[in-house]
Amino acid sequence: VFFFFQAEDGIRDAQESRGLGDVYKRQEEAMKEMFASMPQPQVYCRRDGLGWNQIDTTLLVPGDLVRVQPGDRIPADLLIVSIHIDHGFKVNNSALTGELEPLERTTYCTAEDATETKNLAFFGTFCEQGQCEGIVLRTGGSTQMGQRTREAENETSSHQDETENPVYFLTRLAGVAGVAVFVVAAPLWGIQQAAELMVGAT
């Protein structure tokens, strides 16, 4: 009886683990779809000290100076170097952090943590108010958004390797069976023989 209860627990845990893996997989797929559906607009860029030109955001490289205006999607991870003071500058980070309230940005560092300081704006977030100029720090997969996507992929892959591999479930079940045999056999035949039976069961 003990064995069957434990086996049921093992099956339930495996099902829950698979369910969690499905959640991670859905999150990963949603992020991929978001990247794929994002338009690739033009952005005002100044490179090598030359004048302002409109270029595709996919052509940005670290060191470029870009201009961001209300409604723009932040085209890369940016170090903010200039803000039009009249209206200030605010971003919506909901795509990155889930936070819906617009956040004020500044030209000076306010925290050591890159995700907390106010002088950085991140790829995939949006300009809610004001206008700024920023230096491109990271693009593509190197951005905060790209890193989080990669971490989600790695976590999903690792979790699936455990839960979807039948060896994972069979190993767990064998361990439960061994313990069950030991508990039942010990009072009847002694600890030593029960231990030998447990090893045989696993």
Side-chain angles (χ1 to χ4, degrees):
V1 175
F2 176 82
F3 166 72
F4 286 113
F5 278 128
Q6 291 296 324
E8 288 180 1
D9 289 342
I11 294 172
R12 189 180 305 111
D13 289 347
Q15 291 173 338
E16 290 175 354
S17 296
R18 291 191 184 94
L20 186 58
D22 290 340
V23 171
Y24 287 138
K25 186 174 182 179
R26 286 196 297 271
Q27 290 176 340
E28 174 192 346
E29 291 174 350
M31 294 185 78
K32 286 183 176 179
E33 289 175 3
M34 180 186 68
F35 273 113
S37 64
M38 280 183 174
Q40 301 299 330
Q42 300 260 306
V43 62
Y44 281 101
C45 173
R46 190 174 183 181
R47 182 179 294 174
D48 298 328
L50 302 178
W52 290 96
N53 292 294
Q54 276 192 309
I55 67 171
D56 194 288
T57 55
T58 59
L59 300 178
L60 291 174
V61 297
D64 284 345
L65 183 66
V66 300
R67 180 182 295 159
V68 178
Q69 304 178 84
D72 286 354
R73 176 168 63 88
I74 307 300
D77 286 358
L78 303 178
L79 173 65
I80 300 171
V81 295
S82 174
I83 291 176
H84 287 221
I85 305 297
D86 293 345
H87 302 96
F89 184 69
K90 292 185 178 182
V91 295
N92 185 318
N93 278 0
S94 59
L96 184 65
T97 65
E99 188 171 1
L100 299 178
E101 190 71 22
L103 303 174
E104 183 181 6
R105 303 288 93 173
T106 69
T107 57
Y108 51 89
C109 181
T110 58
E112 293 184 4
D113 187 341
T115 60
E116 297 293 334
T117 185
K118 294 183 178 181
N119 65 333
L120 296 180
F122 299 108
F123 168 73
T125 63
F126 287 85
C127 172
E128 285 267 338
Q129 175 182 307
Q131 182 176 331
C132 86
E133 294 174 5
I135 297 174
V136 174
L137 298 179
R138 293 176 293 270
T139 62
S142 298
T143 62
Q144 284 287 327
M145 185 77 77
Q147 291 175 20
R148 294 195 180 196
T149 302
R150 187 163 56 252
E151 289 171 0
E153 290 175 347
N154 292 339
E155 188 171 1
T156 301
S157 176
S158 175
H159 198 81
Q160 287 179 334
D161 286 344
E162 291 182 348
T163 59
E164 293 184 1
N165 189 338
V167 174
Y168 169 83
F169 176 72
L170 293 175
T171 301
R172 180 182 175 92
L173 193 59
V176 172
V179 172
V181 169
F182 180 85
V183 170
V184 172
L188 298 176
W189 298 299
I191 293 177
Q192 183 174 354
Q193 190 170 355
E196 293 175 355
L197 288 171
M198 179 179 70
V199 172
T202 57

